[in-house]
């Protein structure tokens, strides 16, 4: 089994072909911890240090990034951009370089790359297969939808499976999502919300690979997690490989709330023995569901993950697309774990 703090998996596209029992290895992602520098206060302290004889000792004790602590303290005249000491013409340039390094050391940050944007791995895993996509309006690669991207690469996309709110994310909370056809591609859309929560054998007929790419918000009662659970179970039962394109969790930095007891209560808004705020991405949860055997035939599920790059549990990531109609802003996503608990009461959530 896997713990709540499990690292991301290493993606191995060949494991889809080689064996349904291919073991999953893990990659520990080292966090990038850029130094946080209070610019104004640090510069003020530097200037104050020039009034003291032992400048080097005072500067060494300042809260500066490590590379800057190795700079020798400069004397009073050398802190002026126009040096008074004409015998040292490069001192002003040294100070400018010092200042630039101070700024960039605090701003340096690697760009987060979601699973769907790692095209080399994605195309390698999809080549030569009949593909179904479980996705919605958040399944974007930059400005292009995942389905459109796969088709443009000559890949064989056969069907679309849509969660709550529909494939284009336009259906209101709890409303019926009907089957249909995507107007742009002509592909059939099969709804996985309402009475039809789990793909049937007929739904998966002729499909070799299920590609799952939906943005989650890290809350147990958000229904996209439950949809992924049922898709995983259906893929295991019908010997269909599954590829999860992972995306960040806006609540990744902490876990909170009660743990669900599945023996007492299971529904579309909760299936697993995890906290209300579980602190995992859907890719990690997929591995946990398989590893803990929370689905039937879990041992034969051919599961692969393309994890998020440059991402860890201290990363700040603002979702580029609203994940559902009732979570249109970053503030609403942060408040959702608390406000969602009141949905069963007579209190108004301000939804009209």
């Amino acid at each position: 089994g896997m713990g709540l703090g499990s690292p991301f998996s290493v993606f191995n596209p060949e494991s889809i072909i080689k064996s349904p029992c291919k073991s999953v290895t893990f990659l520990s992602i080292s966090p990038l911890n850029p130094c946080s520098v209070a610019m104004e206060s640090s510069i003020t302290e530097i200037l104050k240090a020039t009034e003291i004889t032992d400048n080097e000792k005072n500067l060494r004790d300042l809260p500066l990034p490590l590379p800057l602590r190795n700079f020798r303290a400069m004397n009073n005249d050398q802190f002026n951009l126009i040096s008074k000491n004409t015998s040292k013409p490069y001192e002003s340039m040294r100070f400018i370089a010092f200042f630039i390094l101070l700024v960039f050391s605090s701003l340096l940050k690697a760009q987060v790359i979601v699973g769907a944007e790692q095209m080399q791995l994605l195309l390698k895993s999809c080549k030569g297969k009949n593909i179904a996509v479980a996705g919605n309006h958040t399944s974007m690669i930059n400005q292009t939808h995942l389905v459109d991207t796969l088709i443009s690469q000559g890949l064989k996309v056969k069907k679309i499976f849509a969660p709550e709110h529909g494939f284009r994310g336009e259906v209101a909370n709890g409303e019926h999502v009907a089957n249909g056809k995507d107007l742009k591609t002509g592909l059939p859309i099969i709804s996985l919300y309402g009475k039809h929560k789990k793909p049937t054998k007929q739904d998966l007929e002729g499909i070799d690979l299920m590609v799952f790419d939906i943005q989650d918000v890290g809350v147990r009662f958000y229904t996209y997690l439950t949809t992924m659970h049922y898709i995983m179970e259906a893929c295991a039962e019908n010997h269909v490989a599954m590829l999860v394109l992972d995306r960040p969790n806006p609540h990744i930095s902490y876990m909170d709330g009660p743990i669900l007891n599945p023996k007492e209560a299971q529904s579309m808004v909760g299936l697993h023995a995890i906290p209300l705020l579980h602190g995992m991405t859907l890719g990690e949860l997929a591995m946990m569901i398989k590893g803990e055997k929370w689905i039937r035939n879990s041992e034969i599920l051919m599961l692969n993950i393309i994890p998020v790059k440059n991402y860890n549990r201290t990363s700040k990531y603002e979702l580029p697309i609203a994940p559902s109609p009732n979570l249109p802003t970053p503030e609403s996503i942060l408040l959702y774990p608390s406000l969602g608990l009141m949905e069963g009461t007579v209190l108004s959530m301000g939804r009209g």
Side-chain angles (χ1 to χ4, degrees):
M2 294 180 54
L4 292 175
S6 61
F8 297 96
S9 71
V10 172
F11 173 73
N12 179 8
E14 299 300 328
S15 64
I16 292 177
I17 302 171
K18 289 181 179 178
S19 170
C21 300
K22 179 74 176 178
S23 60
V24 180
T25 53
F26 302 105
L27 170 67
S28 294
I29 297 178
S30 300
L32 179 65
N33 294 318
C35 297
S36 178
V37 179
M39 185 68 65
E40 294 182 2
S41 62
S42 296
I43 296 302
T44 302
E45 292 298 320
I46 290 174
L47 294 177
K48 286 181 180 179
T50 65
E51 301 172 0
I52 302 173
T53 303
D54 192 358
N55 290 336
E56 184 169 352
K57 178 180 182 301
N58 284 277
L59 287 174
R60 189 167 57 247
D61 296 333
L62 292 176
L64 299 176
L66 185 59
L68 303 183
R69 297 176 193 170
N70 296 327
F71 274 77
R72 289 180 58 86
M74 295 178 286
N75 61 38
N76 296 349
D77 291 340
Q78 292 165 349
F79 275 99
N80 296 320
L81 290 178
I82 302 176
S83 178
K84 296 179 182 178
N85 189 342
T86 55
S87 65
K88 298 181 179 180
Y90 298 107
E91 294 301 341
S92 60
M93 294 302 297
R94 286 178 61 193
F95 177 75
I96 293 173
F98 175 91
F99 185 80
I100 292 173
L101 183 59
L102 178 69
V103 173
F104 279 95
S105 65
S106 64
L107 297 179
L108 182 63
K109 186 177 182 181
Q111 181 182 2
V112 172
I113 304 173
V114 301
E117 292 173 345
Q118 299 172 52
M119 290 300 298
Q120 186 175 359
L121 293 176
L122 175 59
L123 297 178
K124 186 176 182 179
S125 65
C126 294
K127 186 177 180 181
K129 297 179 174 65
N130 292 324
I131 303 164
V133 173
N136 64 3
H137 63 292
T138 66
S139 310
M140 300 294 289
I141 303 175
N142 298 319
Q143 302 301 315
T144 307
H145 197 279
L146 171 66
V147 170
D148 300 327
T149 300
L150 295 178
I151 293 174
S152 71
Q153 295 296 318
L155 298 172
K156 297 180 287 186
V157 181
K158 301 296 185 180
K159 294 179 181 179
I160 297 169
F161 290 88
E164 183 181 7
H165 307 298
F167 180 57
R168 298 297 178 185
E170 299 170 344
V171 181
N173 179 50
E175 287 191 11
H176 175 68
V177 180
N179 293 341
K181 182 178 287 189
D182 182 42
L183 296 179
K184 184 173 183 180
T185 63
L187 293 171
I189 299 175
I190 300 172
S191 170
L192 295 179
Y193 189 71
K195 293 182 179 180
H196 187 66
K197 298 179 178 67
K198 178 179 172 180
T200 64
K201 183 177 182 178
Q202 183 179 357
D203 292 338
L204 295 175
E205 186 175 353
I207 299 299
D208 304 313
L209 177 66
M210 174 72 72
V211 178
F212 184 97
D213 182 28
I214 299 176
Q215 177 64 60
D216 191 50
V217 297
V219 183
R220 186 183 65 220
F221 49 71
Y222 204 55
T223 60
Y224 298 158
L225 168 58
T226 303
T227 296
M228 184 181 73
H229 172 105
Y230 286 129
I231 291 175
M232 290 176 65
E233 191 167 70
C235 287
E237 292 170 351
N238 293 278
H239 303 281
V240 174
M242 183 164 175
L243 175 66
V244 176
L245 307 181
D246 214 1
R247 290 182 179 268
N249 171 0
H251 295 283
I252 195 70
S253 62
Y254 65 107
M255 293 178 287
D256 203 357
I259 296 176
L260 178 70
N261 184 347
K263 295 181 180 180
E264 295 181 356
Q266 277 190 319
S267 69
M268 193 69 187
V269 291
L271 290 177
H272 312 108
I274 57 176
L276 192 149
L277 283 156
H278 47 70
M280 289 181 280
T281 66
L282 285 185
E284 291 177 307
L285 279 164
M287 291 190 294
M288 189 176 186
I289 290 169
K290 174 178 167 64
E292 296 293 334
K293 296 179 170 54
W294 287 343
I295 57 171
R296 290 189 291 272
N297 303 303
S298 61
E299 66 280 358
I300 65 173
L301 174 63
M302 297 171 284
L303 175 67
N304 278 275
I305 316 292
I306 299 184
V308 185
K309 274 189 176 181
N310 306 322
Y311 185 67
N312 59 71
R313 281 171 168 73
T314 63
S315 299
K316 303 295 183 184
Y317 181 84
E318 186 172 308
L319 304 187
I321 301 172
S324 55
N326 291 319
L327 297 178
T329 65
E331 291 76 16
S332 63
I333 293 171
L334 293 176
L335 291 170
Y336 178 61
S338 299
L339 291 177
L341 296 174
M342 302 179 188
E343 289 181 357
T345 71
V346 296
L347 295 175
S348 171
M349 296 294 101
R351 291 178 177 176

